[in-house]
Amino acid sequence: MPSRTDRRDATILAAAASNMKIDFIEGITGDQIPEVALPPGNKAESLKLFKGIRGSWRSHMNALQAIVHQNLSSAMIFEDDVDWDVRLRPQLQDLAFASQFLTSGPQDLSRYPVQTIPNPEAPEVSIHNESSENPIPSTLHSLPLSKVLGPSLKLHPYGDPANWDVLWLGHCGAGFPRPPRSGSGASDKNILLTNPNDPTVPLPKYLRAHPFGPLDALGTSHPPHTRVYHRGSGGALCTVAYAVSQRGARRLLHEFGVSKWGRIWDVELGDWCAGSDSPAGSKPEDGSEALGEARMDQEDKGERKCITVQPPIFAHHHPLGGESDIGGLGGGYARTVETKYLRLSVRMNLQAMVRGDGPEVMVDQWPD
């Protein structure tokens, strides 16, 4: 919002301290959106939403619109309370290798040391249980990122943008990927690429997005200090930071700017990533193999490809007296000045960074 000069000051300082260049998309309020400008689909629901939620949705649509209008091959969208670790660049390099692997198409995983482990994500406690029509799997398939390293980072660092839609890198918790069919084996759609012994990852007891939220399933599925990369078909919450390709920006702008919109933006995006574009009527009856194959072909052609990471690389910073203009997650606001998930937070160490201090003197929010 133009009125939130406090947010702009902090964001500009954080970006400058990290040698990053950013541009601003000015946020708007729900009062500035006439009813006629709301998408026709689900309009009755969108009119019931708080004006802050309506303004947030339109601000994100304006960002997507700018990406499409400028024909950018890809861009990262940050919310104005975003935070990141001072060691962001090595984190992004690992992400790049993972994203290239996950976005390059079907993989023959039989030649890799894939490990099958129990999935601790329970349907009754998962905040992403309704994001996908596919059930939460009982097992997970893990593969060390070090076993798949090798692609070039020169031409398309995060994978060819023609092959992916969203890289969801800042969120308030993500579900593990849902296999397209129950009982399916390891594939690029449900593999977890693991980065063990990552010094930027807090201990499991700190892996929670919000004081009111549950601990992440990652805390018990993998050893401490493990970061995982996977498809975002299990849903995610909070659009703290996400990259979109030109392909993804066009698809999202059409879906939620032109066609329909009726819920808070992060829920819409999470369900979109968890869904598919298979046409109505293509779902086969029991035993109809031909229709099943046709549906699979259609999903391959228009597949929604979202990649995410746990814990997130970017997270919400909770500043002193800096409550959201939109609403409180879980029915309340965080009162402690902190950033979940980030150990050497840029915003928590902003004074030291402006002073020119190195990481060795910075405060670790979540020490071992």
Side-chain angles (χ1 to χ4, degrees):
M1 294 296 296
S3 60
R4 293 303 300 266
T5 54
D6 59 324
R7 296 282 184 95
R8 184 170 295 220
D9 290 345
T11 302
I12 286 178
L13 276 173
S18 301
N19 196 27
M20 293 167 56
K21 182 182 182 300
I22 57 175
D23 297 308
F24 284 92
I25 299 289
E26 290 198 346
I28 63 173
T29 66
D31 296 336
Q32 296 173 266
I33 309 169
E35 181 178 341
V36 69
L38 294 172
N42 297 336
K43 182 178 287 190
E45 297 302 317
S46 62
L47 286 170
K48 297 176 185 177
L49 298 173
F50 293 122
K51 64 180 182 179
I53 292 175
R54 294 200 305 272
S56 172
W57 156 78
R58 188 60 242 179
S59 299
H60 281 277
M61 292 304 103
N62 288 349
L64 294 171
Q65 181 193 92
I67 293 166
V68 172
H69 184 60
Q70 297 175 44
N71 197 30
L72 303 178
S73 61
S74 63
M76 175 75 79
I77 300 173
F78 292 128
E79 293 184 348
D80 65 2
D81 55 355
V82 66
D83 196 3
W84 54 89
D85 196 287
V86 301
R87 298 159 291 186
L88 176 62
R89 278 174 171 75
Q91 288 179 328
L92 291 180
Q93 186 176 48
D94 290 333
L95 166 74
F97 286 122
S99 181
Q100 286 193 46
F101 185 86
L102 293 170
T103 61
S104 60
Q107 300 281 348
D108 177 13
L109 295 179
S110 63
R111 57 196 179 98
Y112 293 106
V114 176
Q115 182 183 14
T116 300
I117 58 176
N119 183 8
E121 189 181 22
E124 61 271 14
V125 298
S126 172
I127 58 177
H128 315 288
N129 193 31
E130 298 179 358
S131 294
S132 173
E133 63 183 18
N134 299 316
I136 293 175
S138 59
T139 57
L140 303 171
H141 304 286
S142 285
L143 173 63
L145 179 62
S146 61
K147 301 298 183 181
V148 300
L149 293 180
S152 169
L153 297 179
K154 293 181 180 179
L155 184 59
H156 299 300
Y158 301 98
D160 188 345
N163 295 334
W164 58 266
D165 297 297
V166 176
L167 305 181
W168 203 329
L169 309 182
H171 52 72
C172 298
F176 288 125
R178 309 283 182 88
R181 291 166 293 173
S182 61
S184 63
S187 72
D188 61 297
K189 290 180 171 58
N190 62 359
I191 192 70
L192 305 179
L193 296 181
T194 63
N195 188 13
N197 303 314
D198 184 336
T200 69
V201 175
L203 286 171
K205 65 180 180 180
Y206 299 127
L207 296 181
R208 98 173 57 238
H210 198 274
F212 313 117
L215 286 171
D216 293 356
L218 175 66
T220 52
S221 64
H222 291 78
H225 303 302
T226 297
R227 193 180 299 278
V228 299
Y229 315 84
H230 56 81
R231 294 284 285 271
S233 58
L237 290 176
C238 299
T239 45
V240 189
Y242 60 103
V244 292
S245 63
Q246 178 65 206
R247 160 183 131 164
R250 292 185 183 192
R251 298 174 78 180
L252 292 172
L253 187 61
H254 178 266
E255 182 85 359
F256 300 109
V258 175
S259 299
K260 62 181 180 180
W261 170 70
R263 298 177 297 173
I264 193 167
W265 169 233
D266 64 328
V267 174
E268 294 279 35
L269 181 60
D271 282 9
W272 187 87
C273 283
S276 66
D277 285 340
S278 55
S282 65
K283 188 173 182 178
E285 300 292 337
D286 289 343
S288 178
E289 183 177 347
L291 280 177
E293 291 177 354
R295 186 181 185 211
M296 289 172 60
D297 290 343
Q298 179 65 26
E299 288 177 348
D300 289 341
K301 291 178 181 177
E303 185 181 18
R304 301 172 184 179
K305 193 170 289 188
C306 303
I307 306 300
T308 192
V309 53
Q310 296 188 56
I313 295 174
F314 299 91
H316 280 302
H317 176 60
H318 302 146
L320 183 65
E323 293 179 352
S324 169
D325 295 322
I326 302 172
L329 180 68
Y333 292 97
R335 301 295 179 184
T336 304
V337 178
E338 63 183 8
T339 305
K340 297 295 187 182
Y341 296 121
L342 307 184
R343 298 192 64 166
L344 299 185
S345 153
V346 167
R347 299 233 186 183
M348 296 296 290
N349 288 286
L350 195 53
Q351 184 176 17
M353 296 190 73
V354 170
R355 233 180 7 236
D357 295 343
E360 65 280 357
V361 299
M362 293 183 183
V363 176
D364 183 348
Q365 288 189 104
W366 316 111
D368 289 353

